[in-house]
Amino acid sequence: MSQNKFQLKNLASGKTTEYAIHQGSVGPEVVDISTLYRDHGMFTFDPGFMATASCESRVTYIDGDAGVLLYRGYPIEQLAEKSNHLEVAYLLLNGELPSEDEFSQFKHSIHRHTMLNESLRKMYDGFHHDAHPMAMVAAIVASMAAFYHDTTDIYNARHREIFAHRIIAKIPTIAAAAYKHALGQPFIYPRNDLDYTANMLHMFFAVPCEPYRVDPLHAKALDLLFILHADHEQNASTSTVRLAGSTGCNPYAAISAGVSALWGPAHGGANEAVLDMLEEIGSADKVPQFLARVKDKQDSVRLMGFGHRVYKNFDPRARIIREMCHRVLAQLGDTNNPMFELALRLEEIALKDDYFIARKLYPNVDFYSGIIYSALGIPRSMFTVMFALARTAGWVAHWLEMIADPAMKISRPRQLYRGPAQRDYVAIEGR
Ligand code: CMC
């Protein structure tokens, strides 16, 4: 902790107070104003958390100006090149990369927790065939609280570990069951001899009437996408998991809250919205016309997959995914993919446009991811589910970090109240 102080003076009352400045291991210093109300009888006002650190964390670091993303200190580029999703999940949960023994035990535990309780699986029958898969996933994850009672003591480290492994293991099964329900196809049971993403593809695309062989290229591409989506510090869904979890609620309920928060188009839902947008634009010659609408403040259209609260530079994940699009599409023999061509052209034009330059708007993780999901045969309505599946590792890592902290407090923001002051009730005939 730094000895630096931040001095604050209320010009109306003349009262001056000093606040401690905390120094993170990297990144900007943070002023600790937790006693501000006691000292001055005032709250701070920061809608959208533009300048507020909501917690202390050791999981993920982003330098938005430099376009840097580190999981537990490791650059995303190195993890994307050398690691795999389950190893990254272990890293996020435990803080260090595993030894061979640790990793094989972890994988064994994940592979043994893939099945869903049959009653939970039958719950899908209650959903309408055209229910959005995110609605089903959020509901099923929340319902896990009603099934797995050996993980309800959040103050028991072993319970927390079982919960962590169970949700990471079952989330592909939950996602696949939502997909199969929408298709009207029979549910496919997990295969524990397959790797994490290969098993997911098997549950998505196998049918009982013929053999299905997972394409290793597809499994590898998906694994890379999962690494890139695994965590992103205090984003809206992770903050939702923390806020819900801070009440001491069942951990599955907290993760379900995160799934729901991720669904919005400003967050994880953007990957689905990007392909809708590309389809709407249709061809490269329509890009200028579309961008004119994006820049028109009277029009609510946004360039989906562009812009970020933290990155004021290229999102490093978008760069990796763009390269991956080239590679995966070439390997699939789809070198002239029209959606990819259009996205590249859109990016090129937007990055030269003063509107985007002035506001530092760059492609984010969602701009290109849907193109790969589509190439792998994953339908658009499942894109945000893919994001949720990968982000589960991050949500759980943050929940574990928060619950294990003896200083954990319920998150309870304050407000700037602008409603009516106290007034007297008037009987209906007198109004
Ligand atoms: N298209 C057009 N204008 C934009 C865009 C965009 N995609 N993003 C930001 N702006 C403009 C915005 O209109 C504002 O302009 P002005 O200063 O003239 O009012 C300025 O840039 C600042 O934008 P903001 O909305 O105040 O920024 P924010 O930090 O609150 O929002 C964002 C961040 C990601 C919600 C926003 O950039 C956006 O809506 N992007 C499109 C949706 C998207 O791709 N979301 C995925 C985010 S990355 C993955 C994830 O987090 O899940």
Side-chain angles (χ1 to χ4, degrees):
M1 202 172 285
S2 133
Q3 292 309 304
N4 289 342
K5 297 275 187 205
F6 188 89
Q7 197 180 62
L8 197 116
K9 182 170 184 180
N10 181 337
L11 295 176
S13 67
K15 185 173 177 183
T16 300
T17 39
E18 287 188 341
Y19 295 95
I21 294 179
H22 302 318
Q23 177 67 66
S25 38
V26 273
E29 293 177 323
V30 171
V31 185
D32 183 345
I33 46 85
S34 51
T35 59
L36 184 80
Y37 183 67
R38 201 180 62 203
D39 299 337
H40 289 272
M42 286 180 181
F43 301 133
T44 52
F45 184 60
D46 184 17
F49 298 96
M50 301 297 285
T52 296
S54 62
C55 64
E56 188 177 309
S57 182
R58 289 171 172 73
V59 182
T60 288
Y61 174 72
I62 304 172
D63 180 337
D65 294 321
V68 168
L69 170 60
L70 312 175
Y71 293 168
R72 301 283 191 183
Y74 295 103
I76 192 66
E77 293 81 1
Q78 290 181 21
L79 294 170
E81 190 191 332
K82 298 175 181 162
S83 188
N84 57 72
H85 180 64
L86 274 194
E87 189 182 58
V88 164
Y90 183 99
L91 172 70
L92 290 169
L93 300 186
N94 298 288
E96 296 296 337
L97 288 166
S99 66
E100 274 184 36
D101 268 2
E102 286 165 338
F103 193 40
S104 93
Q105 277 175 34
F106 179 65
K107 279 201 290 193
H108 180 74
S109 177
I110 298 295
H111 287 191
R112 300 302 296 197
H113 276 107
T114 51
M115 286 209 299
L116 278 189
N117 182 300
E118 283 296 294
S119 301
L120 193 52
R121 193 180 62 73
K122 285 182 198 144
M123 282 182 64
Y124 287 86
D125 295 339
F127 291 112
H128 202 255
H129 67 91
D130 60 0
H132 195 287
M134 282 296 276
M136 290 191 255
V137 170
I140 297 291
V141 170
S143 303
M144 288 174 78
F147 286 83
Y148 299 106
H149 299 298
D150 53 346
T151 48
T152 46
D153 181 1
I154 58 171
Y155 301 108
N156 177 321
R158 178 64 188 139
H159 278 217
R160 294 199 297 265
E161 185 179 51
I162 301 171
F163 152 73
H165 292 195
R166 179 175 282 143
I167 186 73
I168 291 170
K170 291 192 198 311
I171 193 81
T173 318
I174 292 169
Y179 178 52
K180 289 298 197 188
H181 178 75
L183 280 183
Q185 285 185 1
F187 171 75
I188 299 292
Y189 284 92
R191 266 187 53 191
N192 292 350
D193 59 319
L194 293 176
D195 283 344
Y196 195 74
T197 47
N199 175 46
M200 196 219 86
L201 288 167
H202 160 75
M203 290 188 289
F204 267 57
F205 297 120
V207 285
C209 40
E210 60 188 42
Y212 173 78
R213 192 190 139 270
V214 176
D215 184 330
L217 170 69
H218 288 206
K220 178 87 190 90
L222 205 53
D223 195 78
L224 179 50
L225 283 171
F226 283 6
I227 293 174
L228 299 176
H229 286 85
D231 195 41
H232 215 228
E233 50 114 314
Q234 310 310 324
N235 57 85
S237 56
T238 302
S239 298
T240 302
V241 170
R242 278 186 179 265
L243 194 131
S246 78
T247 66
C249 72
N250 186 288
Y252 300 105
I255 299 298
S256 169
V259 174
S260 301
L262 184 76
W263 193 1
H267 194 7
N271 53 15
E272 192 180 331
V274 167
L275 276 232
D276 291 342
M277 173 188 77
L278 292 174
E279 201 167 79
E280 187 194 327
I281 298 172
S283 56
D285 58 309
K286 305 264 173 43
V287 167
Q289 201 179 319
F290 178 75
L291 289 184
R293 282 189 65 198
V294 168
K295 292 187 280 181
D296 178 0
K297 292 288 171 196
Q298 305 311 314
D299 202 323
S300 59
V301 174
R302 283 201 165 197
L303 180 50
M304 299 310 286
F306 253 68
H308 199 275
R309 170 62 61 78
V310 184
Y311 294 116
K312 300 302 164 199
N313 197 329
F314 235 96
D315 178 337
R317 302 167 301 173
R319 224 190 271 280
I320 298 171
I321 299 177
R322 191 181 53 189
E323 285 322 300
M324 195 181 158
C325 276
H326 282 293
R327 216 175 48 243
V328 170
L329 294 176
Q331 283 167 330
L332 294 174
D334 191 8
T335 37
N336 296 321
N337 182 295
M339 287 293 192
F340 186 40
E341 299 285 315
L342 182 56
L344 286 170
R345 188 79 189 113
L346 188 53
E347 177 195 324
E348 189 188 331
I349 298 176
L351 289 182
K352 286 186 193 139
D353 189 300
D354 286 344
Y355 176 94
F356 296 92
I357 296 170
R359 291 169 180 76
K360 299 189 176 165
L361 302 172
Y362 292 85
N364 61 47
V365 68
D366 290 318
F367 194 65
Y368 288 109
S369 61
I371 291 168
I372 301 197
Y373 289 136
S374 288
L376 301 182
I378 293 167
R380 212 173 289 180
S381 62
M382 289 300 293
F383 290 179
T384 314
V385 172
M386 295 294 106
F387 195 155
L389 210 162
R391 185 56 58 84
T392 297
W395 290 331
V396 173
H398 284 271
W399 179 84
L400 287 173
E401 180 179 66
M402 180 185 71
I403 299 288
D405 181 353
M408 180 182 96
K409 271 178 140 42
I410 184 170
S411 289
R412 197 339 182 154
R414 306 306 291 259
Q415 63 173 0
L416 169 61
Y417 177 69
R418 291 204 196 269
Q422 183 172 328
R423 49 185 172 161
D424 289 327
Y425 178 83
V426 179
I428 194 160
E429 58 277 11
R431 286 174 217 157

